[in-house]
Amino acid sequence: DAKTTQPNSMESNEEEPVHLPCNHSTISGTDYIHWYRQLPSQGPEYVIHGLTSNVNNRMASLAIAEDRKSSTLILHRATLRDAAVYYCILRSLTGTASKLTFGTGTRLQVTL
Amino acid sequence: GAVVSQHPSRVICKSGTSVKIECRSLDFQATTMFWYRQFPKQSLMLMATSNEGSKATYEQGVEKDKFLINHASLTLSTLTVTSAHPEDSSFYICSARFWDRGGNTIYFGEGSWLTVV
């Protein structure tokens, strides 16, 4: 599986936008970019995913570089409830299982 | 999004006994479920892929005779930790693949804390 690189941690003030970067220089043409987040003592929560075009949903936006070697998860207005570990994961839809392999993620701290 | 539920959320068992954790897809059918283990301050580690009606596929280094997986129906997969030891204490998380018009997305359960004493 192609790997992703994320900063270990980031901080943000509440009500401000947050840009969480992810590098995936070895991404293949069949890899989708998925983002999940995990709050303390909970299972991961799906945030967003995309292939080539930027994507928006009620939780966040995903900006994908033209060469697809990096992407950025954008939280438009961070709240204290957004404090979590954010995982950027490449998921290929080839093969039988299309499983998710987690890296170390970015721990986001949100302060007042 | 689709809902995946685990039970129990917390369990304490004695060393040497077996414990079963259930994973259910509540509002959809899941032919494929995944089991993960997470130790404190660490990331999720995939243990196995559970396929309805067939044998599970285990990741390298995971003992299939110790971590028994059964996926007997389209909405239920179970993980049984056999002859549990304190080092098996961990957060166990399942996930299920949900198919919709846009393809498929994987949703996770709430996780189950296992403490072996």
Side-chain angles (χ1 to χ4, degrees):
Chain A
D1 293 330
K3 291 197 173 183
T4 63
T5 304
Q6 298 176 253
N8 287 333
S9 63
M10 290 185 66
E11 288 186 18
S12 172
N13 294 322
E14 198 176 22
E15 301 294 314
E16 291 186 356
V18 182
H19 291 234
L20 298 164
C22 180
N23 288 320
H24 28 79
S25 58
T26 60
I27 191 171
S28 73
T30 57
D31 286 337
Y32 280 73
I33 302 160
H34 285 249
W35 284 82
Y36 283 79
R37 71 181 185 182
Q38 187 178 25
L39 279 65
S41 297
Q42 295 186 29
E45 176 186 25
Y46 167 78
V47 177
I48 200 166
H49 77 279
L51 183 63
T52 56
S53 303
N54 294 344
V55 185
N56 299 298
N57 67 19
R58 63 175 180 81
M59 289 182 70
S61 295
L62 176 60
I64 302 173
E66 199 168 328
D67 63 5
R68 300 212 322 128
K69 293 185 176 182
S70 66
S71 61
T72 303
L73 179 71
I74 302 166
L75 306 178
H76 296 286
R77 289 179 65 189
T79 70
L80 295 177
R81 289 177 295 179
D82 292 322
V85 179
Y86 286 79
Y87 295 97
C88 168
I89 304 168
L90 300 183
R91 182 171 169 232
S92 175
L93 293 188
T94 60
T96 57
S98 61
K99 57 191 178 185
L100 291 173
T101 302
F102 285 77
T104 54
T106 297
R107 182 173 298 277
L108 175 65
Q109 291 181 295
V110 181
T111 55
L112 292 171
Chain B
V3 179
V4 177
S5 180
Q6 285 183 238
H7 178 80
S9 57
R10 290 183 179 272
V11 58
I12 300 173
C13 71
K14 291 185 177 180
S15 186
T17 63
S18 297
V19 62
K20 181 186 288 186
I21 300 170
E22 294 184 346
C23 177
R24 293 181 186 273
S25 55
L26 295 186
D27 49 1
F28 66 102
Q29 293 181 330
T31 55
T32 305
M33 293 184 174
F34 304 90
W35 286 95
Y36 291 81
R37 180 167 57 179
Q38 185 176 32
F39 292 110
K41 304 289 186 185
Q42 295 186 22
S43 187
L44 284 79
M45 293 293 296
L46 179 65
M47 299 174 67
T49 301
S50 171
N51 302 299
E52 187 268 335
S54 65
K55 290 182 179 180
T57 304
Y58 290 81
E59 295 298 304
Q60 193 172 10
V62 178
E63 300 175 59
K64 61 181 180 181
D65 294 330
K66 180 168 182 63
F67 299 100
L68 301 179
I69 291 172
N70 183 281
H71 194 158
S73 80
L74 288 171
T75 59
L76 174 64
S77 175
T78 61
L79 168 68
T80 302
V81 182
T82 63
S83 187
H85 291 283
E87 56 265 32
D88 297 323
S89 299
S90 187
F91 190 47
Y92 291 87
I93 310 166
C94 75
S95 64
R97 191 165 59 181
F98 171 69
W99 290 89
D100 59 17
R101 287 187 302 173
N104 69 89
T105 303
I106 293 177
Y107 291 96
F108 287 80
E110 317 95 316
S112 298
W113 284 102
L114 169 63
T115 302
V116 184
V117 297

